[in-house]
């Protein structure tokens, strides 16, 4: 019986080559997109799940005022370990950027963490060489990853016992390689090349004042009996907060929260978080896109199958007449649908295999197709079976319901109902495609807005050189200034403590006249010299900036507009207000107009600008920032390198550009925009394949009518309009459904940005024109071909 079903299915496949090809290619395209997207989604959802105890590991986060951060005070971890038995273990990490010296070679390293000695007992990062119970326990023993060992010593075996120099404080530390770790998996939110004992970090801070120092990532390993439920998590948070309130001598009045380890990558939009975080909203959006494109492909199948049902009506009638049961006919037609679906799956898998390098480049991933994975193969077979059954169910039930007597008499079966169903599917199909087109336009415009928005300063042609944290920073800065002064062509430059791209620092220790005792404001701060405003082309709202002509400016402050408002000061009378920070009292001498020093997802925060013209950046590393021109870029780079090497004779020179750093802040959105473009185009192509098939079928059914009309004098344009108008009406109706849905979805996405575009009417107009023009071209091709055919051929048999 099965052999008979298969043979009949193959015959029907070859009998209708055009429609079978359209079905197979449309389904294959939909499956290709779905395979690629679901692989991406699976990769995003897999972060940190390789840890054996992932369900029992939580990260502690903090909220102070309106700021939510991924770091907490240093002593919190030990207090929780000693006072809350439900917490089995705790570990801390603190990020470090440093110069690493190996022999005569120096490396600028950004992927370093200080870690507690129990770090490897909580996380599953396999130690390949060394004693897991002893590494990180001593003050000088460090752990390298395989990549780090190869980078510094050529191989992991050569690295063991070797010495490196880490410039992690003013004097630096000589450390010894005590262990080699396997590289962290790509789906770990923690990516590092080196782990240092946390004792080295503790040497650089005052532990007695640590309750006010939010600087470490803290992870809690719960007891095995802990129930990972929201209610249990909330109860534990209350106990942690009670402990924190009792021990917090700094009276920060912050709040501490637990974050499941598996949520860190996708559900974390926190200040001072580790780099490379994902976005759960994007996962949901692309999952829906995959389902939608698969749905569009399935709709094509259903449409073409129901369109061809009239051609197979007599076949159904004859089969029923000779005794075929309805269940047998349903199985026959479902077999044909499944055959097409599995052929499409094979073609789609081959296309996905060929396109995955390009997809990885667009998505910045390292995804691969593992055909040996039973789970992956099972998912593919399930998708193919599901699509085949869903797409073939209506045609199967519809065709098997025909009355054999009426069919053999030539009575048309359910013609009106069938047409209504096909038209409804076309509307659904194009509604989805139009939603994706509108989404593409909105994402493109938002990215363009980010690139061109006024961020409060001119970001173009700002060249910066990092100053290493080595020796006497103040003396080094003064030496650099003296060296630069020897080159008159380098005149538009400034020394600053932090780049105004993603400013990480913040402090609560700000007092001013009239301060509300309940105020819990966090003030990011920058140390700058007197050339800062001029070099960055900023504008003053009122007052003045720091100047060498005013000797008292060393203790004075400049604030931004948001800070004045947050402090509830009057913009007109704020100048002269006394401020005390870190036991240093000065007055507000100027108010700088607001500028963005955070990504545009975040609103502008209150900022305090401090005077570092004397070279004193309070122990912070710094940058030389110079405004240059494309013509002078190379010359300026050469001068900066020469100046740098005069002061730092043994350190590698590095540089960057502020506008490039700003662009990197929005890589996730840029990738989303590119993927949206690709999938929108594919959704339109798949929709048009179905429309093309239906137009071809409708034209073939009316070929004699077209011949008669031509004989009676109908023009080509008239015939094309007659054949096209019904389909174009459906597309227009799809626009009316798609527009409000697209507005709602994209408006929700834009709410992730503190600064964003407004959705304009012309976004929908443009999407509508694109959909109508593409559908008209698709429909017109067959219509024009039929209208220009010789009517003699179509009427010869009459």
């Amino acid at each position: 019986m099965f052999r008979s079903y298969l043979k009949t299915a193959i015959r029907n496949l070859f009998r209708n080559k055009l429609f079978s090809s359209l079905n197979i290619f449309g389904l294959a395209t939909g499956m290709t997109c779905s395979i690629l997207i679901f692989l991406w989604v699976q990769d995003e959802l897999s972060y940190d799940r390789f840890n054996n105890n992932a369900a029992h590991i939580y990260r502690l986060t903090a909220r102070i005022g309106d700021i939510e951060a991924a770091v907490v005070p240093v002593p919190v971890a030990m207090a929780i370990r000693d006072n809350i038995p439900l917490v089995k273990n705790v570990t801390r990490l603190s990020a470090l950027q440093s110069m690493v010296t190996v022999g005569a070679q120096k490396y600028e390293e950004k992927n370093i963490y200080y870690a507690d000695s129990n770090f490897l007992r909580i996380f599953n990062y396999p130690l390949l060489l060394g004693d897991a119970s002893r590494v990180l326990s001593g003050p000088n023993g460090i752990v390298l990853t395989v990549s780090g060992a190869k980078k510094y010593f050529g191989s992991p075996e050569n690295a063991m016992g070797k010495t490196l120099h880490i410039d992690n404080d003013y004097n630096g530390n000589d450390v010894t390689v005590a262990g080699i770790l396997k590289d962290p998996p790509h789906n770990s939110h923690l990516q590092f090349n080196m782990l240092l004992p946390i004792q080295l970090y503790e040497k650089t801070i005052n532990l007695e004042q640590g309750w006010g120092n939010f600087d470490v990532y803290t992870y809690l390993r719960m007891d095995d009996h802990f129930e990972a439920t929201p209610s249990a998590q909330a109860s534990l948070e209350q106990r942690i907060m009670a402990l924190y309130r009792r021990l917090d001598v700094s009276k920060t009045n912050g709040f501490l929260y637990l974050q499941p380890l598996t949520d860190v990558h996708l559900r974390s939009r926190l200040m001072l978080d580790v780099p490379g975080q994902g976005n759960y909203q994007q996962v949901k959006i692309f999952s829906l896109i995959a389902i939608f494109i698969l749905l569009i492909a399935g709709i094509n199948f259903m449409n073409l199958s129901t369109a061809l049902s009239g051609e197979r009506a007599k076949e159904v009638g004859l089969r029923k007449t000779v005794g075929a049961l309805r269940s047998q006919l349903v199985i026959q037609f479902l077999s044909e649908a499944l055959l097409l679906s599995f052929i499409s799956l094979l073609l789609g898998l081959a296309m996905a295999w060929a396109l995955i390098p390009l997809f990885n480049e667009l998505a910045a991933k390292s995804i691969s197709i593992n055909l040996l994975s039973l789970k992956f193969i099972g998912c593919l077979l399930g998708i193919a079976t599901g699509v085949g059954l869903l797409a073939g169910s209506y045609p199967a039930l519809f065709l098997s319901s025909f009355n054999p007597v009426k069919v053999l008499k030539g009575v048309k079966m359910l013609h009106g109902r069938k047409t209504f169903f096909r038209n409804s599917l076309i509307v659904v199909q194009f509604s989805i495609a139009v939603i994706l087109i509108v989404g593409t336009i909105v994402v493109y415009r938002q990215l363009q807005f980010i690139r061109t928005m006024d961020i409060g300063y001119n970001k173009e042609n700002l060249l910066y050189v990092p100053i290493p944290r080595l020796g006497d920073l103040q003396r080094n800065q003064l030496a650099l200034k003296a060296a630069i002064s020897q080159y008159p062509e380098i005149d538009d430059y400034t020394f600053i403590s932090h780049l105004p791209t993603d400013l990480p620092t913040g402090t609560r220790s700000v007092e001013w006249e009239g301060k509300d005792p309940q105020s819990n404001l966090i003030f990011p701060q920058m140390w700058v010299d007197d050339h800062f405003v001029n070099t960055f082309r900023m504008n003053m709202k009122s007052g003045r900036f720091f100047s060498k002509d005013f000797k008292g400016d060393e203790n004075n402050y400049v604030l931004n507009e948001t800070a004045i408002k947050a402090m509830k000061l009057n913009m007109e009378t704020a100048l002269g207000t006394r401020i005390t920070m870190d036991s240093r009292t000065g007055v507000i001498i100027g108010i700088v107009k607001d500028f963005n020093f955070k990504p545009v997802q975040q609103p502008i925060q209150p900022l305090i600008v401090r005077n570092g013209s004397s070279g004193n950046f309070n122990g912070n590393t710094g940058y030389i920032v110079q405004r240059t021109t494309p013509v002078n870029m190379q010359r300026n780079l050469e001068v900066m390198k020469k100046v740098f090497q005069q002061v730092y004779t043994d350190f590698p020179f590095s540089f960057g550009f502020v506008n490039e750093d700003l662009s990197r802040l929005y890589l996730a959105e840029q990738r989303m925009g590119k993927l949206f473009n690709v999938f929108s185009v594919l959704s339109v192509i798949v929709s048009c394949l179905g429309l093309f098939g239906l137009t071809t079928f409708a034209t073939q059914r009316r070929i004699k009518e077209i011949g008669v009309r031509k004989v009676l004098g109908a023009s080509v344009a008239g015939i094309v309009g007659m054949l096209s108008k019904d389909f174009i009406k459906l597309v227009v109706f799809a626009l009316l459904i798609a527009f409000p849905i697209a507005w709602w979805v994209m408006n929700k996405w834009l709410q992730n940005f503190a600064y964003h575009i407004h959705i304009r009417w012309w976004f929908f107009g443009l999407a509508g024109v694109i959909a109508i023009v593409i559908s008209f071209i698709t429909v017109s091709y067959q219509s024009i071909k039929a209208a220009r055919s010789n009517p003699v051929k179509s009427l010869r048999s009459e």
Side-chain angles (χ1 to χ4, degrees), residues 186-201:
H186 78 279
N187 58 347
S188 167
H189 81 280
L190 293 172
Q191 295 294 324
F192 52 85
N193 288 333
M194 183 188 303
L195 296 176
L196 304 178
I198 205 157
Q199 292 97 317
L200 296 179
Y201 166 75

Side-chain angles (χ1 to χ4, degrees), residues 341-500:
S341 184
F342 281 105
I343 292 173
S344 300
L345 173 62
L346 293 175
L347 180 58
L349 190 58
M351 291 166 64
W353 187 284
L355 292 174
I356 204 161
L358 177 61
F359 182 79
N360 279 334
E361 185 178 342
L362 286 174
K365 288 285 187 181
S366 299
I367 298 170
S368 60
I369 296 177
N370 183 10
L371 295 178
L372 299 179
S373 169
L374 294 178
K375 181 179 179 181
F376 178 68
I377 296 299
C379 288
L380 291 182
L381 294 176
I383 290 173
T385 302
V387 170
L389 291 176
L390 290 173
S393 58
Y394 181 82
L397 295 173
F398 175 75
L399 291 169
S400 64
S401 67
F402 286 176
N403 186 314
V405 176
K406 293 182 179 180
V407 168
L408 295 176
K409 284 184 177 181
V411 177
K412 292 183 178 180
M413 303 298 298
L414 303 175
H415 178 73
R417 212 172 94 188
K418 182 177 63 176
T419 302
F420 175 79
F421 181 75
R422 286 205 309 270
N423 291 345
S424 300
L425 292 179
I426 291 174
V427 170
V428 172
Q429 197 175 44
F430 269 90
S431 295
I432 295 171
V434 170
I435 290 172
L436 292 178
I437 294 172
V438 173
T440 299
I441 295 171
V442 172
V443 171
Y444 170 78
R445 292 291 299 175
Q446 176 63 15
L447 290 175
Q448 188 182 50
F449 170 77
I450 291 172
R451 286 193 297 268
T452 60
M453 70 175 287
D454 180 9
I455 59 175
Y457 61 89
N458 185 348
K459 62 187 176 182
E460 302 301 327
N461 301 314
L462 285 174
L463 165 70
Y464 69 82
V465 176
I467 303 173
R469 180 167 179 160
L470 177 69
D472 188 333
L473 293 178
Q474 184 173 3
R475 187 175 64 184
N476 291 343
Q477 186 186 134
L478 295 175
L480 284 169
K481 285 185 176 181
I484 293 176
S485 66
Q486 299 174 17
Y487 299 89
E489 65 270 30
I490 308 295
D491 60 349
D492 198 356
Y493 65 92
T494 183
F495 282 76
I496 59 177
S497 61
H498 300 85
L499 294 171

